[in-house]
Amino acid sequence: MDAHIKEQLIAITGSAHVRTTVAQKLAYSYDATANFQALPDLIISPASINEIQAIVKVCAEHNVPIISRGSGTNLAAGTTPTAGGVVLLFNRMNNILELDTENLTLTVQPGVITQEINEYVADAGLFYPPDPSSMSVSTIGGNVSENSGGLRGLKYGVTRDYVKALKIVLPNGELLTTGGKLAKDVAGYDLTSLFVGAEGTLGIVVEITLSLIPAPESKKTLLVSYDTLEKAALTVSSIIAAKIVPAALEFMDKGTIEAVEEFMKIGLPTNCEAMLLIEQDGDPAVVEKDMELVHKLCMEHGATSTQMAQSVEEAANLSVARRVALSALARKRPSTILEDATVPRSEIAKMVKAVQEIAQKYDLLICTFGHAGDGNLHPTILTDVRDEEEMARVEMAFAEIFHYAIQLGGTITGEHGVGEMKAPYLEWKIGKAGIDVMKRLKQAIDPFNIMNPNKIFAKSTKKRVVVHHG
Amino acid sequence: MDAHIKEQLIAITGSAHVRTTVAQKLAYSYDATANFQALPDLIISPASINEIQAIVKVCAEHNVPIISRGSGTNLAAGTTPTAGGVVLLFNRMNNILELDTENLTLTVQPGVITQEINEYVADAGLFYPPDPSSMSVSTIGGNVSENSGGLRGLKYGVTRDYVKALKIVLPNGELLTTGGKLAKDVAGYDLTSLFVGAEGTLGIVVEITLSLIPAPESKKTLLVSYDTLEKAALTVSSIIAAKIVPAALEFMDKGTIEAVEEFMKIGLPTNCEAMLLIEQDGDPAVVEKDMELVHKLCMEHGATSTQMAQSVEEAANLSVARRVALSALARKRPSTILEDATVPRSEIAKMVKAVQEIAQKYDLLICTFGHAGDGNLHPTILTDVRDEEEMARVEMAFAEIFHYAIQLGGTITGEHGVGEMKAPYLEWKIGKAGIDVMKRLKQAIDPFNIMNPNKIFAKSTKKRVVVHHG
């Protein structure tokens, strides 16, 4: 990076908030995605929207890429600075700005940790439902840019469903304000929804107004084991068929259960093939009724054991067991590559079975866990990115998983985003017409491609594999 | 229109499905919006997606505007063919294609009447919540293009919240497929949300997959009268503060109540200043508990009378009383212009009061009803579009209403759309940056502006009025 540009950027925030040493650049050269790494030119921490506008104007003038970054928990190389440029941090923009209890909204800066939002609004008897597994470290700005999901997606939806208004710094440095504290607003195109999940490729989200709901009065948590995957999948279908929409309906396979138990030692039964973690929340009487029926359905579909949490602590433990799945698996081998293939709920059994077949075919260790209720699975390959031969097999396995998920009416990513990692597969899901429309939108808003380049759009699309499962 | 183009279009559907007489053109020269009218060149009724693609290709080649039209209930001149061209009807594409009870989705053609969807899914114990007041005649295609709201918006959201997947014919004739039967999908930009509410300006929605939810088990309906507007507004705030989210929380002022009673003769108390219609649905015990508390809150805030429906029929009657408000008012004077200003829920009392002041100031008859729970009001001016002097006052009154709604953090349209009528006011809400981004999106997807031209974007923006209320 030209020294003159660097000086202009330092003049905006002061040198205390610009990092330029190699060690600092290395720290921001990767995110939570294995096998993607590149040094940025500089890391900057603005303190205000005005400063961000000034930074963007400098970058626009000199065609310097800008990569917005929260806590770097991205799993699709969405925040890796593979085109160099400026990594923009929100560590100085991490304030909760306003809780509006009349309109049930919360306005925050992008750097606030998601878990902090949960705790803050709980004190007012309110609830912000989206709960990505990374919520204890991830920022709300990152969640908004990725349209993060979580365990409660089935019943409560995902991040986009709770974003009411945004302030965005556009690639030309202008400030765009979208939406409002409104339940209804049809004043033109839905820009809010367009910028949510745009992975930082259209502009920089600099302020967020979220909608909240009254906190559910009670919650119950049930852990259920099965000796076959099919029985677990059939239970999931039967719960929905019974017109119950649980607050969480999570799945773990044998490999995941063993890794979690080894990690946490909380007495999970490791002699089963699959487990479901089922939660319901709401009015105490309704929760009681729903969970009784859920329990009955589990038994009817051949559950080998069930465990209803008897206390808030026990429930939290069971829930954490599922939330730590990735961390637990990550301990097993040098590299963990987490997938995010998502299928219609009705197709889960087929998908899980296909993943097992694919693991055998390519001689790989794949453990699967995820959100069974909404069809969002996380097949996780335990591997070693330094082993080129194995990585070639990993890539083929993932291509087959994506291909089959799409065949079942699914998608290549349910909640992690496209980033750079999945860009070569995007056309499989959305077709040539979809790629064409998305590229036009990108070109229209960011004509010089300075916002998080190399993400979402790949230089070339992977050749589609043709393999039959199921 | 050139005879050659006409022949090409007739060749696609057959002449039986093309209307070209003046009488036929007149029938499609206007929608439900007063004071906007223009003749199309031709009206066509395709029977398939392929036929629509062929029609679009002919129109694209010759730069002929295409106006998609459902039942023409639009209230913002959104379907008036003011640039001439082809009016495209869906009367031959009105089939329900698939009910998927495992994934809780319904796939339909755009010409299906919304009420029919409600009835169809009710038979399966399922529920499609969006309920625009026009639902007994409006089509789902129109609802999707306008992102229609309705009475249940507060608790259940609007049309966009239930659209899972779309098929869209793009301005170049290509078919775009977005989304899927998926609770989570982050494969690129959210094209589904972009096309929902785009008012037919970006492409033609040709197939829709909606998400459904389990039908609530029970419902209770309460009608409450007040001797001041403020007491009604305070009741609304107190219900939300008590952490209750009713299924409907509707408001009618004195003028509306009188018109409805005159029309329906169902014994509404006409000696009050305001009424609330409050509904809750869900588990019977929860509904009972919520409505008891709601009743208590109504009394605490000075309700002069309350009427809890004792039967399904009585509840339906009370609900219809609110739904027919527009029809009842429309009988009073030659022209009815319905507004759609929407404010944060906390600002409703201020907004209703300002509307009354504005009516006095311009010596106009304005009755207000609407969705108090979500801040979406419908101030309705009873007027005569042939009276130029009065219409000048009407226009000034609306400008003041928009201005003040925006001052309160609101919007110029909550659920009716921008169309041609509100296009000159759009910049007031979204600013120059917002107009610029929306124009870029339009240009990117529809570079020759053949999709519903003259809508959303105005040739010039109205000068902003500066008047203070409240």
Side-chain angles (χ1 to χ4, degrees):
Chain A
M1 177 182 280
D2 190 90
H4 179 62
I5 302 173
K6 196 185 283 187
E7 278 164 29
Q8 283 184 287
L9 293 172
I10 288 173
I12 294 166
T13 60
S15 60
H17 306 296
V18 175
R19 305 175 206 202
T20 55
T21 69
V22 173
Q24 289 167 333
K25 289 181 192 177
L26 265 174
Y28 293 94
S29 65
Y30 58 90
D31 56 24
T33 320
N35 230 9
F36 285 84
Q37 187 168 23
L39 288 186
D41 293 309
L42 174 153
I43 302 105
I44 195 162
S45 299
S48 68
I49 293 174
N50 281 343
E51 287 186 10
I52 294 177
Q53 288 185 275
I55 291 166
V56 171
K57 279 173 186 163
V58 169
C59 290
E61 194 186 338
H62 302 286
N63 252 318
V64 175
I66 307 174
I67 301 93
S68 303
R69 181 184 167 113
S71 299
T73 56
N74 193 288
L75 289 160
T79 51
T80 313
T82 55
V86 170
V87 168
L88 195 149
L89 303 180
F90 294 93
N91 55 315
R92 297 174 68 211
M93 293 177 69
N94 58 356
N95 294 304
I96 290 175
L97 301 176
E98 186 208 36
L99 172 63
D100 180 341
T101 53
E102 273 203 272
N103 295 303
L104 303 189
T105 62
L106 184 78
T107 301
V108 297
Q109 291 185 310
V112 177
I113 302 294
T114 312
Q115 177 73 39
E116 195 188 325
I117 290 176
N118 271 265
E119 289 162 7
Y120 189 88
V121 306
D123 289 344
L126 295 169
F127 186 39
Y128 172 69
D131 61 340
S133 292
S134 57
M135 66 191 286
S136 62
V137 291
S138 65
T139 65
I140 188 67
N143 291 179
V144 167
S145 291
E146 299 300 321
N147 187 25
S148 301
L151 279 65
R152 302 188 189 113
L154 167 64
K155 180 171 181 176
Y156 290 107
V158 295
T159 302
R160 183 179 285 122
D161 300 313
Y162 294 86
V163 179
K164 301 306 292 175
L166 290 175
K167 288 188 181 169
I168 296 148
V169 175
L170 294 167
N172 59 11
E174 276 181 43
L175 184 65
L176 171 70
T177 301
T178 74
K181 291 178 179 176
L182 299 163
K184 291 173 174 171
D185 183 9
V186 291
Y189 304 140
D190 184 2
L191 298 184
T192 308
S193 291
L194 182 62
F195 282 90
V196 175
E199 308 192 28
T201 64
L202 299 179
I204 302 173
V205 171
V206 296
E207 192 178 300
I208 303 149
T209 297
L210 301 166
S211 64
L212 307 170
I213 60 174
E217 284 175 54
S218 74
K219 185 164 90 170
K220 270 195 175 282
T221 303
L222 177 70
L223 195 71
V224 194
S225 320
Y226 295 89
D227 56 10
T228 72
L229 288 168
E230 285 68 27
K231 290 176 187 170
L234 285 171
T235 302
V236 170
S237 296
S238 73
I239 290 171
I240 305 296
K243 309 265 188 316
I244 294 174
V245 182
L249 185 36
E250 296 289 311
F251 168 86
M252 290 192 282
D253 71 359
K254 188 179 180 65
T256 309
I257 299 161
E258 285 172 352
V260 169
E261 178 55 22
E262 201 182 304
F263 184 38
M264 289 190 63
K265 307 215 167 30
I266 51 170
L268 294 182
T270 52
N271 58 345
C272 59
E273 282 299 314
M275 289 184 89
L276 293 176
L277 175 81
I278 309 170
E279 289 195 340
Q280 182 59 301
D281 60 11
D283 177 88
V286 176
V287 170
E288 190 71 37
K289 192 171 68 175
D290 281 0
M291 289 304 266
E292 258 176 46
L293 181 51
V294 164
H295 188 268
K296 186 165 155 277
L297 291 167
C298 292
M299 297 312 291
E300 279 176 18
H301 289 87
T304 49
S305 79
T306 65
Q307 179 182 356
M308 187 81 77
Q310 296 304 317
S311 65
V312 173
E313 292 69 37
E314 194 184 341
N317 252 341
L318 297 182
S319 180
V320 165
R322 162 58 192 84
R323 284 185 192 276
V324 300
L326 175 59
S327 313
L329 290 170
R331 298 165 71 241
K332 308 282 281 184
R333 288 206 59 202
S335 312
T336 315
I337 306 182
L338 180 67
E339 261 323 311
D340 187 34
T342 301
V343 293
R345 185 194 304 125
S346 58
E347 309 296 339
I348 282 194
K350 283 184 205 158
M351 191 69 219
V352 172
K353 196 158 155 282
V355 169
Q356 291 182 324
E357 288 169 10
I358 291 165
Q360 278 195 325
K361 175 174 170 183
Y362 292 105
D363 190 21
L364 292 166
L365 184 55
I366 309 186
C367 297
T368 299
F369 60 93
H371 317 298
D374 55 26
N376 180 202
L377 294 173
H378 296 310
T380 302
I381 302 194
L382 309 185
T383 182
D384 184 342
V385 296
R386 296 161 301 189
D387 182 339
E388 278 186 34
E389 184 276 327
E390 183 167 326
M391 285 305 289
R393 285 183 280 126
V394 166
E395 194 169 328
M396 286 188 286
F398 275 136
E400 274 197 41
I401 289 172
F402 296 151
H403 173 77
Y404 191 57
I406 292 167
Q407 256 190 352
L408 295 175
T411 183
I412 60 168
T413 173
E415 58 181 11
H416 295 163
V418 177
E420 185 155 340
M421 188 170 89
K422 289 190 183 166
Y425 303 95
L426 183 60
E427 191 179 314
W428 294 12
K429 162 70 177 102
I430 63 171
K432 274 193 200 309
I435 290 277
D436 178 52
V437 169
M438 288 188 192
K439 276 190 177 165
R440 284 167 185 242
L441 298 180
K442 165 75 173 173
Q443 169 75 21
I445 297 180
D446 182 24
F448 303 109
N449 192 25
I450 62 167
M451 289 291 165
N452 208 8
N454 296 349
K455 312 299 156 58
I456 299 185
F457 305 104
K459 289 187 187 72
S460 63
T461 287
K462 288 269 178 189
K463 195 162 172 297
R464 185 94 181 246
V465 292
V466 183
V467 185
H468 297 285
H469 294 276
Chain B
M1 177 183 281
D2 191 271
H4 178 63
I5 303 173
K6 195 185 281 188
E7 278 164 29
Q8 282 183 288
L9 293 171
I10 288 173
I12 295 166
T13 60
S15 60
H17 306 296
V18 175
R19 306 174 207 202
T20 55
T21 68
V22 174
Q24 289 168 334
K25 289 181 191 176
L26 265 173
Y28 292 95
S29 65
Y30 58 91
D31 57 24
T33 319
N35 231 10
F36 285 84
Q37 187 168 23
L39 289 185
D41 293 308
L42 174 155
I43 301 104
I44 196 163
S45 298
S48 69
I49 293 174
N50 281 343
E51 287 186 9
I52 293 177
Q53 289 184 274
I55 292 166
V56 171
K57 279 173 186 163
V58 170
C59 290
E61 195 187 338
H62 302 287
N63 252 317
V64 175
I66 308 174
I67 301 93
S68 302
R69 181 183 166 114
S71 299
T73 56
N74 194 288
L75 290 160
T79 51
T80 313
T82 55
V86 170
V87 168
L88 195 149
L89 303 180
F90 295 93
N91 55 316
R92 297 173 69 211
M93 292 177 70
N94 58 356
N95 294 305
I96 292 176
L97 301 176
E98 186 208 35
L99 172 63
D100 179 340
T101 53
E102 271 203 274
N103 294 303
L104 302 189
T105 62
L106 184 79
T107 301
V108 297
Q109 291 185 309
V112 177
I113 302 296
T114 312
Q115 177 72 41
E116 195 188 325
I117 290 175
N118 271 265
E119 289 162 7
Y120 189 88
V121 304
D123 289 345
L126 295 169
F127 186 39
Y128 173 69
D131 61 341
S133 292
S134 58
M135 65 190 287
S136 62
V137 290
S138 66
T139 65
I140 188 69
N143 291 179
V144 168
S145 291
E146 299 300 321
N147 188 24
S148 301
L151 279 65
R152 301 189 189 111
L154 167 65
K155 180 170 181 176
Y156 290 107
V158 295
T159 303
R160 183 179 286 123
D161 300 312
Y162 295 87
V163 179
K164 300 308 291 176
L166 290 175
K167 288 187 180 168
I168 295 149
V169 174
L170 294 167
N172 60 10
E174 275 181 45
L175 185 65
L176 171 70
T177 301
T178 74
K181 292 178 179 176
L182 299 164
K184 291 173 173 170
D185 182 9
V186 291
Y189 304 141
D190 184 2
L191 298 183
T192 308
S193 290
L194 182 63
F195 282 91
V196 174
E199 308 193 27
T201 64
L202 298 178
I204 303 174
V205 171
V206 296
E207 192 177 299
I208 303 149
T209 297
L210 301 166
S211 64
L212 307 171
I213 60 174
E217 283 175 53
S218 74
K219 185 164 88 171
K220 271 195 174 284
T221 304
L222 177 70
L223 196 71
V224 193
S225 319
Y226 295 89
D227 57 9
T228 71
L229 288 168
E230 285 68 25
K231 289 176 187 171
L234 284 172
T235 303
V236 170
S237 296
S238 72
I239 291 171
I240 304 296
K243 308 265 185 324
I244 295 174
V245 182
L249 185 35
E250 296 288 312
F251 168 85
M252 292 191 282
D253 72 359
K254 188 180 179 66
T256 309
I257 299 161
E258 286 171 352
V260 168
E261 179 55 23
E262 199 183 305
F263 183 40
M264 288 189 66
K265 304 211 170 32
I266 51 169
L268 295 181
T270 52
N271 58 346
C272 60
E273 283 299 314
M275 290 184 88
L276 294 176
L277 175 83
I278 309 170
E279 290 195 339
Q280 183 57 302
D281 60 11
D283 178 87
V286 176
V287 170
E288 190 71 39
K289 191 172 70 174
D290 280 359
M291 288 305 265
E292 257 175 49
L293 182 51
V294 164
H295 187 269
K296 186 165 156 278
L297 291 167
C298 291
M299 297 313 290
E300 280 176 17
H301 290 88
T304 49
S305 79
T306 64
Q307 180 184 355
M308 186 80 79
Q310 297 304 317
S311 65
V312 174
E313 292 70 35
E314 194 184 343
N317 253 340
L318 297 182
S319 180
V320 165
R322 163 59 192 85
R323 284 185 192 277
V324 299
L326 175 58
S327 313
L329 289 170
R331 298 164 71 241
K332 308 282 281 184
R333 289 206 60 202
S335 312
T336 314
I337 305 183
L338 181 67
E339 261 321 312
D340 187 33
T342 301
V343 293
R345 186 194 303 126
S346 58
E347 309 296 338
I348 282 196
K350 282 185 206 159
M351 191 69 218
V352 172
K353 197 157 155 282
V355 169
Q356 290 181 325
E357 288 169 10
I358 291 165
Q360 278 194 326
K361 175 174 173 183
Y362 292 105
D363 190 21
L364 293 166
L365 183 57
I366 309 186
C367 296
T368 299
F369 61 93
H371 317 299
D374 55 26
N376 179 203
L377 294 173
H378 296 310
T380 302
I381 301 194
L382 309 184
T383 182
D384 184 343
V385 295
R386 296 161 302 188
D387 182 338
E388 277 185 36
E389 183 277 325
E390 182 167 328
M391 285 305 289
R393 285 183 280 127
V394 166
E395 196 170 324
M396 286 188 287
F398 276 136
E400 274 198 41
I401 289 173
F402 295 152
H403 173 78
Y404 191 57
I406 292 167
Q407 256 191 350
L408 294 175
T411 183
I412 59 168
T413 174
E415 58 181 11
H416 295 164
V418 178
E420 186 156 339
M421 187 169 89
K422 290 191 184 166
Y425 303 96
L426 182 59
E427 191 179 315
W428 294 12
K429 162 70 177 106
I430 63 171
K432 275 193 201 307
I435 291 278
D436 178 53
V437 169
M438 288 188 192
K439 277 189 176 164
R440 285 166 185 245
L441 298 180
K442 165 75 174 174
Q443 169 75 21
I445 297 181
D446 181 24
F448 303 108
N449 192 25
I450 63 167
M451 290 291 165
N452 207 9
N454 295 350
K455 312 301 155 57
I456 299 184
F457 305 104
K459 287 185 189 72
S460 64
T461 287
K462 289 267 179 192
K463 195 162 171 296
R464 185 94 182 247
V465 292
V466 182
V467 184
H468 296 286
H469 295 275

